Amino acid sequence: MINNLIKSSGFKRISIFVLLALVLYGLKDMINLILFTFIFTFLMDRLVIFLSRKIPLNRKILVIASYSTIVGLLTYGIVKYLPMIIGEITALIKQITAFYTKEHDNIILNYLVSRLEEIQISNYLERGFTFLITYFTDISTFGLQILIALLMSLFYLLEKPRLIEFTKKFKTSKVASIYAEIEFFSLKFVGTFGKVIEAQLIIAVVNCILTTIALWIFGFPQLGGLSIMILFLGLIPVAGVIISLIPLVIIGYSIGGIMTVLYVFIAIMIIHAIEAYILNPNLMSSKTNLPVFYTFLVLIFSEHFFGVWGLIIGIPVFVFILDVLEVTDHKKV
């Protein structure tokens, strides 16, 4: 019976999946490079496919033109805006720290601040801001990872047809059975993880633009730093909205009192409603409509194992696992 179990296709598939998971966990020091390469490759491939349908040009020319444009825009943005954004993020940290360290006339506000201090929310915020500053300022490491990821994705897209043909040779090799399982997981991974990441990015960008416009109307300072914060937190499902509210409420109270805080709450509720009822249904698969408890549970464990990256990739990875296990929602809407 044990021999039959070991020889079964289900046992082999689970074994290979566990092995792949262990290999990736062992390579967690390279997680930045791996994820950046996959994300750049997936998104740029989607862009090239879209452009090839609109512009009758050779595929390689479209790939080179797309990458040249992206690299040019990134270089321009880094040179022109990076010092300003770093200064604004530093100013935001000082403003939030000052809010926590001084006494307020409002008894309820003092109570809320003390409760937030008990759960060390300011430490989490400072860690998040420090993470951003470290990533943006450590050009030698972060810039090299971005460059290598861009080059890897560029080479992949330039040789995509040849790579596919070469990889198919493993189907008739001595590792054909292992290749079949890896191909199965790869197709599932691209079809779930990639699309969910793409949807999260689109939703985060739309939320960032709408929220920044609202904050500009309310007269918020350091809009560059705030927009970067909102964009990154927007990549975190559900929890990102809650976390971003804390610094926005603090700054809103500092510049305009309770009424500005109320305006911020109303604006965020409207933007969140747009996300929940317009963006999510059109961009996300029904399988990503997880209960809030599951969402937070996944975020807690993924942050523990993979740090800040875990907050971004936790839900897409969980959706990928659900897809592999064929956990689908058959309820008719």
Side-chain angles (χ1 to χ4, degrees), residues 73-284:
L73 290 173
L74 279 174
T75 304
Y76 176 79
I78 288 171
V79 171
K80 188 172 178 67
Y81 296 108
L82 184 61
M84 178 192 72
I85 291 172
I86 291 173
E88 290 190 353
I89 291 175
T90 305
L92 281 174
I93 294 173
K94 291 179 180 177
Q95 188 172 354
I96 293 171
T97 304
F99 179 87
Y100 277 109
T101 53
K102 72 176 183 180
E103 286 289 326
H104 302 280
D105 296 332
N106 193 311
I107 298 174
I108 297 175
L109 192 61
N110 283 327
Y111 174 78
L112 290 175
V113 169
S114 64
R115 295 287 77 79
L116 288 174
E117 276 300 301
E118 283 183 8
I119 60 174
Q120 298 181 321
I121 194 70
S122 60
N123 290 341
Y124 289 117
L125 288 170
E126 191 165 343
R127 278 175 58 193
F129 282 120
T130 305
F131 169 81
L132 290 178
I133 292 173
T134 302
Y135 257 50
F136 283 121
T137 53
D138 191 2
I139 300 298
S140 60
T141 302
F142 183 69
L144 183 62
Q145 290 173 341
I146 292 288
L147 179 61
I148 295 174
L150 281 170
L151 286 173
M152 291 287 289
S153 63
L154 173 62
F155 293 147
Y156 173 85
L157 291 182
L158 285 174
E159 295 190 308
K160 183 180 176 182
R162 185 183 173 191
L163 283 169
I164 292 172
E165 282 299 317
F166 181 82
T167 307
K168 283 181 179 178
K169 293 179 181 179
F170 287 96
K171 280 187 175 181
T172 55
S173 69
K174 292 182 179 180
V175 292
S177 59
I178 297 175
Y179 170 80
E181 299 302 328
I182 293 176
E183 183 184 40
F184 169 80
F185 289 124
S186 299
L187 293 174
K188 289 285 187 183
F189 190 76
V190 172
T192 53
F193 181 91
K195 290 181 180 179
V196 172
I197 283 286
E198 181 187 27
Q200 280 185 195
L201 182 60
I202 294 171
I203 291 171
V205 169
V206 172
N207 281 352
C208 176
I209 293 171
L210 294 177
T211 307
T212 302
I213 291 171
L215 298 180
W216 174 71
I217 293 171
F218 300 150
F220 272 60
Q222 291 96 33
L223 283 178
L226 283 172
S227 62
I228 292 292
M229 178 201 74
I230 293 164
L231 177 63
F232 274 84
L233 291 176
L235 294 170
I236 305 172
V238 182
V241 176
I242 299 171
I243 298 170
S244 65
L245 259 178
I246 296 168
L248 293 181
V249 166
I250 290 171
I251 296 168
Y253 183 82
S254 301
I255 65 174
I258 295 297
M259 287 306 297
T260 302
V261 172
L262 181 61
Y263 294 149
V264 169
F265 267 109
I266 293 172
I268 296 299
M269 286 174 62
I270 293 171
I271 293 168
H272 185 62
I274 293 172
E275 175 190 337
Y277 296 107
I278 298 176
L279 296 178
N280 270 333
N282 288 297
L283 295 173
M284 293 286 199

Side-chain angles (χ1 to χ4, degrees), residues 1 3 15 28 30 41 46 94 122 250 270:
M1 183 174 179
N3 288 334
S15 300
K28 65 179 181 178
M30 297 178 63
T41 303
R46 294 293 292 265
K94 291 179 180 177
S122 60
I250 290 171
I270 293 171

Side-chain angles (χ1 to χ4, degrees), residues 1-12:
M1 183 174 179
I2 296 176
N3 288 334
N4 292 334
L5 177 64
I6 293 173
K7 291 178 181 178
S8 66
S9 59
F11 181 82
K12 181 173 67 175

Side-chain angles (χ1 to χ4, degrees), residues 237-239 242 288-301 315 318:
V238 182
I242 299 171
T288 62
N289 188 23
L290 301 173
V292 175
F293 175 79
Y294 272 96
T295 301
F296 276 98
L297 193 66
V298 171
L299 291 175
I300 289 168
F301 278 94
I315 296 300
F318 186 65

